Amino acid sequence: MLASVEKHSLPRTAAFFDLDKTVIAKSSTLTFSKSFYQGGLINRRGVLRSAYAQFVYLVGGTDHDQTERMRRYLSDLCRGWDVRQVREIVAETLHDLIDPIIYDEAASLIEEHHAAGRDVVIVSTSGAEVVEPIGELLGADRSVATRMVVEGGRYTGEIAYYCYGPTKAEAIAELARSEGYDLERCYAYSDSVTDVPMLEAVGNPSAVNPDRGLRREAAARGWPVLTFDRPVRLKQRVPSLSLPPRPVLAAAAAMGAAMATAGLVWYANRKRTPYARV
């Protein structure tokens, strides 16, 4: 069990959660392919590639080089996209696609941290337009995520802020300064070896469904390893849960679409290039 409610006289604390394969069971960048196909953004071949890329991700995750290729493709792909058009496609499917793949164990852990008086922060490489509504759905206090540059209602193709690797640790440190968190008493959860800096930033790190690299790091450092394997709709857990209205979901869609399509192209390039609860 987690510690009892934090005493008000003590410094504030928080629990930092990665998103993909930590809070949700799939890659948030590859989940929307069917909707994009129906909306005309990608073709049938892209849907098949996305399904296989999702399988590869679930089995082995992504390393630093693969993630960097995805980031470069993202910049190229989204340049000139009309943000409103993308939002309209994703707004109708975001809740239907994301709610069923939230891990019951993660939702329970978030509740336990809140009950102990800790803030809950989602820290994700996915786009803010998707991460923030998911955070609201989960009851997170704040979210930190990748942000794209938008001018005149269209993506410029530039990334304003890339929330990845050491940048996640920097964001956590900045939040600690601004919010008064005692990082030695804070918690962090992730599935990926690329998030070791984030896990190192707190006194209570845990590996969740870890990839091979993170599993090795956790064993070497004595970090707990948690297994989350029960996706469940939040409405089934808490029938009275108030979900964000559709307009809020619409405002959350654009970056998710860009990153998901980036994932499809990353996969195509990859094929061409060798290479316990607490």
Side-chain angles (χ1 to χ4, degrees), residues 12-16 113 118-121 181-182 185-188:
R12 298 178 63 198
T13 56
F16 302 94
H113 280 298
R118 304 183 187 98
D119 286 352
V120 170
V121 184
Y181 297 143
D182 178 358
R185 297 171 56 242
C186 287
Y187 294 72

Side-chain angles (χ1 to χ4, degrees), residues 1-21:
M1 292 292 295
L2 297 172
S4 59
V5 175
E6 306 284 358
K7 297 184 181 298
H8 294 296
S9 59
L10 296 175
R12 298 178 63 198
T13 56
F16 302 94
F17 287 81
D18 176 46
L19 182 60
D20 297 354
K21 292 178 69 176

Side-chain angles (χ1 to χ4, degrees), residues 84-240:
R84 176 177 292 181
Q85 178 188 6
V86 177
R87 286 175 176 171
E88 288 173 352
I89 294 172
V90 181
E92 294 304 315
T93 59
L94 181 64
H95 169 66
D96 291 338
L97 292 173
I98 296 300
D99 187 25
I101 61 174
I102 295 171
Y103 282 123
D104 185 33
E105 299 95 335
S108 295
L109 191 56
I110 287 170
E111 292 168 355
E112 290 181 35
H113 280 298
H114 272 150
R118 304 183 187 98
D119 286 352
V120 170
V121 184
I122 305 296
V123 186
S124 175
T125 305
S126 296
E129 292 87 346
V130 165
V131 175
E132 289 172 2
I134 293 175
E136 291 176 8
L137 190 67
L138 293 162
D141 299 280
R142 53 184 54 83
S143 300
V144 182
T146 295
R147 299 190 302 273
M148 299 294 294
V149 176
V150 176
E151 293 181 358
R154 295 181 181 273
Y155 291 120
T156 67
E158 298 177 352
I159 297 177
Y161 173 76
Y162 189 40
C163 187
Y164 173 75
T167 307
K168 287 188 176 184
E170 294 168 5
I172 288 174
E174 178 58 33
L175 277 176
R177 287 189 290 270
S178 64
E179 302 296 327
Y181 297 143
D182 178 358
L183 288 180
E184 275 301 309
R185 297 171 56 242
C186 287
Y187 294 72
Y189 305 88
S190 178
D191 72 290
S192 175
V193 69
T194 61
D195 282 342
V196 165
M198 167 180 162
L199 297 172
E200 288 177 327
V202 301
N204 300 283
S206 292
V208 176
N209 299 337
D211 58 24
R212 287 188 295 270
L214 182 56
R215 188 173 293 277
R216 287 194 297 267
E217 288 288 336
R221 299 166 183 255
W223 291 344
V225 174
L226 311 181
T227 299
F228 292 174
D229 58 8
R230 297 196 308 271
V232 63
R233 287 184 179 272
L234 289 184
K235 290 282 282 186
Q236 293 176 348
R237 300 181 75 257
V238 187
S240 62

